[in-house]
Amino acid sequence: MEHSEKLARIRLIRTQNVGPMTYKLLMRRYETAKDALRAVPELAKRGGRKLVPASLADAEAEFAANEEAGATLLFRGTEQYPRQLDMFDDAPALLSAKGNLHLLQKPMLAKVGVRNASINAMRLSEKLASELGAHGYVIVSGLARGIDTAAHNGALDNGTVAVIASGIDLVYPQENSDLFDAIVERGLLLAEMPPGTQPTPRHFPIRNRIIAGLSYGVIVVEAAGKSGSLITARETGERGGEVMAIPGSPLYPRSEGCNKLI
């Protein structure tokens, strides 16, 4: 892909009110982002809306920031983009990737759960991740503290993908900085947000759809009744994936979400 087309795609993706599905429709109709960008003002006018494409300078800055971070840009519709994720209409139009890209070609299972996990749940999450990795599955999670951290640690030897809610150049939470570096070395980091983006509460549910879309199924290890992990479970089920949960005592609040799923 020509550099100018990459910049045009970034501009189209970052245009306000152009989400993943609109981007997909525009690319299907116009085939190149350059042509789509030329058509956007007239299309917006017909619809009674004002759409101003992101500037070339902003696109160049984002491209340069990814290069500086050592990240590769994965555009939807290209060979490197994960095939499983590409099946869904709301898949990100652009991902920043850092680490071992070949992991995207392997079958994946997601592992999610609460941040304030019990010691036993942490041990179980790490053990399951290690065993599933030995059977050929790449473990996907969100690099959060708790169950996510245990899952990534258990899967490092066989491959793990961390989908983060910030830009590819930021570590969150900071306590996982060593794990962040280990995943870059032995696994793969993915981010939908541009470099420099700080995570906010609304970014995490958006991130969860990517975890679900990459995976054939999700294992919920420990989750409270209103845990964000249940968003990933719901997204996985709606996409036709397997939803699995570890049961716990009905008197234990951190097992409520898993027990409800079962």
Side-chain angles (χ1 to χ4, degrees):
M1 186 189 304
E2 292 181 355
H3 182 66
S4 59
E5 174 63 13
K6 290 180 181 179
L7 293 177
R9 291 193 182 197
I10 295 173
R11 290 183 67 197
L12 185 60
I13 291 161
R14 303 306 179 202
T15 297
Q16 189 175 7
N17 296 320
V18 174
M21 287 183 273
T22 302
Y23 173 87
K24 182 180 179 181
L25 290 172
L26 287 170
M27 290 298 293
R28 182 182 295 169
R29 180 173 178 179
Y30 295 102
E31 296 186 354
T32 72
K34 292 178 185 177
D35 289 339
L37 282 171
R38 282 191 283 268
V40 160
E42 180 60 28
L43 292 173
K45 185 178 178 181
R46 289 181 201 168
R49 304 168 70 187
K50 185 177 181 180
L51 288 181
V52 180
S55 71
L56 177 59
D58 286 346
E60 289 174 334
E62 181 172 339
F63 188 90
N66 274 283
E67 282 201 323
E68 185 176 349
T72 300
L73 292 177
L74 306 180
F75 293 94
R76 188 168 190 186
T78 60
E79 187 175 344
Q80 285 185 308
Y81 195 88
R83 289 190 298 271
Q84 176 73 8
L85 185 60
D86 196 33
M87 293 170 54
F88 304 107
D89 288 338
D90 63 348
L94 174 62
L95 289 167
S96 299
K98 189 173 181 179
N100 298 276
L101 291 172
H102 74 277
L103 294 176
L104 293 175
Q105 310 307 318
K106 295 188 175 183
M108 300 186 196
L109 286 174
K111 182 83 71 63
V112 296
V114 293
R115 288 171 170 79
N116 60 333
S118 66
I119 293 175
N120 284 337
M122 293 281 285
R123 289 173 177 166
L124 180 60
S125 178
E126 187 167 341
K127 183 173 184 291
L128 278 175
S130 177
E131 291 175 351
L132 288 166
H135 282 83
Y137 288 98
V138 171
I139 300 301
V140 186
S141 200
L143 198 61
R145 61 176 59 92
I147 296 301
D148 290 19
T149 295
H152 289 308
N153 279 322
L156 273 174
D157 287 341
N158 299 294
T160 187
V161 173
V163 185
I164 59 178
S166 63
I168 198 73
D169 54 342
L170 299 178
V171 180
Y172 182 86
Q174 194 59 44
E175 67 200 56
N176 274 350
S177 59
D178 289 344
L179 179 58
F180 182 100
D181 292 339
I183 292 174
V184 171
E185 181 69 26
R186 300 160 66 186
L188 180 68
L189 286 172
L190 292 177
E192 181 178 12
M193 301 300 163
T197 303
Q198 294 286 345
T200 66
R202 72 180 184 86
H203 290 155
F204 291 94
I206 295 171
R207 181 273 312 272
N208 291 349
R209 88 186 194 287
I210 303 173
I211 295 174
L214 286 167
S215 309
Y216 290 122
V218 61
I219 302 170
V220 186
V221 180
E222 199 171 60
K226 295 184 179 180
S227 171
S229 304
L230 301 183
I231 297 174
T232 308
R234 186 188 70 242
E235 290 275 3
T236 302
E238 290 175 350
R239 295 165 195 271
E242 297 287 343
V243 178
M244 298 157 274
I246 306 298
S249 168
L251 302 177
Y252 187 50
R254 281 181 287 195
S255 292
E256 184 182 352
C258 291
N259 291 341
K260 281 184 176 179
L261 284 174
I262 293 169

